[in-house]
């Protein structure tokens, strides 16, 4: 049976999350050295356990292990999985996706719609580099159950090369942009990815529409996710509120009207 959180409780929960994030973040080092993001996933209100992510990618964790098979016999593992498994797996999908956007960024390709030219909108985005669990260990801290969701902090240290890459992004030539995207909650993790893509597209569009008089044929480039991602549910949709640095590779104008 689907569990629903009353609107007032949802607002209160989100307020607690953001207040807690602000207080918690004031005592931590700069995100140049260590990335810290707060992630949540729906579950029964009992905290789960988070292990070492440095060696095993999430897709490999879906395969049953001998330990899991053994524990299934006495019911202990199966009960644990029924309560925690979905939320923990969802969290371990979201964390590397967002951290990859903060470490390496996302490429994008955008063709705005143009009714006069009978051009349909085209949009695509993808990781600059897939998250490497051997290079960047993810550790999970302070899991808490708030109503029907598990909230946890994901930590990840940048390598020296990644710190230099981040410093390059902070150059004045890379503007800061901001976007908000939405996607249906029933789409799960794919919905969060789609909402992030929508946020990037809107951020790119809103930035360039103030500088380009006529719609371009194509814009390509990449963005680097900065600051803590803000993800919440509103009216049955994931809503993501994101900030980026943007680097534009090319803007292709139409050669004729």
């Amino acid at each position: 049976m689907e569990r629903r959180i009353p609107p007032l409780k949802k607002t209160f929960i989100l307020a607690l999350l953001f207040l807690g994030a602000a207080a918690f973040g004031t005592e931590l080092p700069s995100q140049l050295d260590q990335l810290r993001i707060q992630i949540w996933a729906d579950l029964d209100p009992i905290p789960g356990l988070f292990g070492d992510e440095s060696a095993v990618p999430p897709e490999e964790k879906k395969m049953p292990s001998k330990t899991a098979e053994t524990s299934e016999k006495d019911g202990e593992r199966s009960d644990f999985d029924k309560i925690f498994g979905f939320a923990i797996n969802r969290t371990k999908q979201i964390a590397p996706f967002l951290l990859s956007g903060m470490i390496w960024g996302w490429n994008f390709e955008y063709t705005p719609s143009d009714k006069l030219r009978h051009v349909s909108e085209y949009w695509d985005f993808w990781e600059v580099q897939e998250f490497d669990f051997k290079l960047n260990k993810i550790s999970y801290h302070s899991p808490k159950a708030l109503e029907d969701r598990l909230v946890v902090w994901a930590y990840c240290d940048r390598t020296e090369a990644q710190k230099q890459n981040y410093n390059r992004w902070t150059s004045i030539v890379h503007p800061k942009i901001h976007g908000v995207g939405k996607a249906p909650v029933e789409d799960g993790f794919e919905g969060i990815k789609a909402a992030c893509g929508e946020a990037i597209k809107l951020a790119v569009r809103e930035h360039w529409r103030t500088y380009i008089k006529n719609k371009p044929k194509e814009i390509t480039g990449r963005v680097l996710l900065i600051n803590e991602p803000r993800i919440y549910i509103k009216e049955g949709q994931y809503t993501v509120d994101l900030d980026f640095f943007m680097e534009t590779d090319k803007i292709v104008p139409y050669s004729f009207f």
Side-chain angles (χ1 to χ4, degrees), residues 82-141:
K82 288 178 183 178
I83 297 172
F84 305 112
F86 175 81
I88 292 176
N89 287 337
R90 175 64 54 80
T91 299
K92 290 182 177 181
Q93 285 180 306
I94 298 171
F97 171 72
L98 294 175
L99 289 170
S100 175
M102 300 181 80
I103 294 172
W104 301 112
W106 293 304
N107 295 309
F108 66 83
E109 183 176 344
Y110 180 41
T111 296
S113 65
D114 193 320
K115 293 182 179 179
L116 293 177
R117 294 184 175 90
H118 304 287
V119 174
S120 299
E121 180 182 78
Y122 174 79
W123 166 260
D124 193 17
F125 82 107
W126 61 96
E127 292 175 314
V128 170
Q129 184 170 318
E130 187 176 354
F131 191 89
D132 188 338
F133 291 88
K134 295 181 180 179
L135 187 63
N136 294 104
K137 175 183 176 181
I138 301 177
S139 59
Y140 296 93
H141 301 263

